[in-house]
Amino acid sequence: MKTLDEFVKTMVRIEFLEDENCYGHYPFQLFVETKDETFEMCALALGGDVLSCYRKFGEYKNDDAKRIYLSLDFPSGGDIENDFVAIFSMENDKIDLFAIPYSTKDGAKLELINKSSHLDLLKSEFLKGVKSL
């Protein structure tokens, strides 16, 4: 995995989830380039426990990972009208976030969202969760 774009293209899949009877993204995906330049890929099937995912990200961050990419599925909320996959990334110690909204009826990805008050709220909660180790 060389870039965040490659992570999104290869790992962020919107598929039909039989248990939910709609489209979504699960299990969540986590890619890490560790401080010793090895790569780790994790499928986080934690029953939707977002805080545990934040903490896992934080564990790698605290262990001086070079890069971390995390995908999490969220329901619509705030100023984001569709369910979406939030992409959290850390490169060069900078944490970024954007959203990939999608249709729960057919899985079609919609236009990326880079700025949103709801994303600002998620990023704030994320940073608290990462630091709660």
Side-chain angles (χ1 to χ4, degrees):
M1 198 80 43
K2 296 178 183 175
T3 65
L4 178 59
D5 188 49
E6 183 181 352
F7 171 78
V8 170
K9 286 180 181 174
T10 60
M11 302 307 301
V12 180
R13 295 187 180 104
I14 310 298
E15 300 174 322
F16 189 76
L17 305 174
E18 289 185 27
D19 291 346
E20 303 296 324
N21 199 32
C22 67
Y23 283 82
H25 173 68
Y26 192 77
F28 306 143
Q29 301 296 317
L30 177 72
F31 167 83
V32 180
E33 180 180 356
T34 65
K35 64 184 172 190
D36 62 356
E37 299 182 356
T38 60
F39 302 108
E40 295 184 24
M41 191 72 207
C42 306
L44 301 175
L46 301 171
D49 182 357
V50 171
L51 187 55
S52 290
C53 296
Y54 292 169
R55 288 185 182 132
K56 190 69 173 169
F57 187 107
E59 289 172 15
Y60 282 110
K61 182 181 181 310
N62 290 343
D63 199 29
D64 299 321
K66 291 184 173 194
R67 293 184 294 146
I68 309 171
Y69 306 143
L70 172 64
S71 63
L72 299 174
D73 196 338
F74 288 93
S76 61
D79 57 349
I80 300 180
E81 297 177 2
N82 295 82
D83 286 15
F84 63 96
V85 178
I87 307 296
F88 298 87
S89 64
M90 186 196 79
E91 295 180 306
N92 301 316
D93 290 322
K94 183 179 180 221
I95 294 178
D96 284 316
L97 168 63
F98 66 90
I100 305 169
Y102 64 89
S103 167
T104 57
K105 293 180 182 179
D106 64 12
K109 291 181 181 178
L110 307 172
E111 188 174 333
L112 295 181
I113 299 172
N114 291 300
K115 294 195 183 291
S116 149
S117 60
H118 193 59
L119 285 181
D120 292 342
L121 175 64
L122 279 180
K123 187 172 183 180
S124 175
E125 291 172 355
F126 171 77
L127 291 172
K128 288 177 190 172
V130 165
K131 293 176 183 176
S132 71
L133 295 172

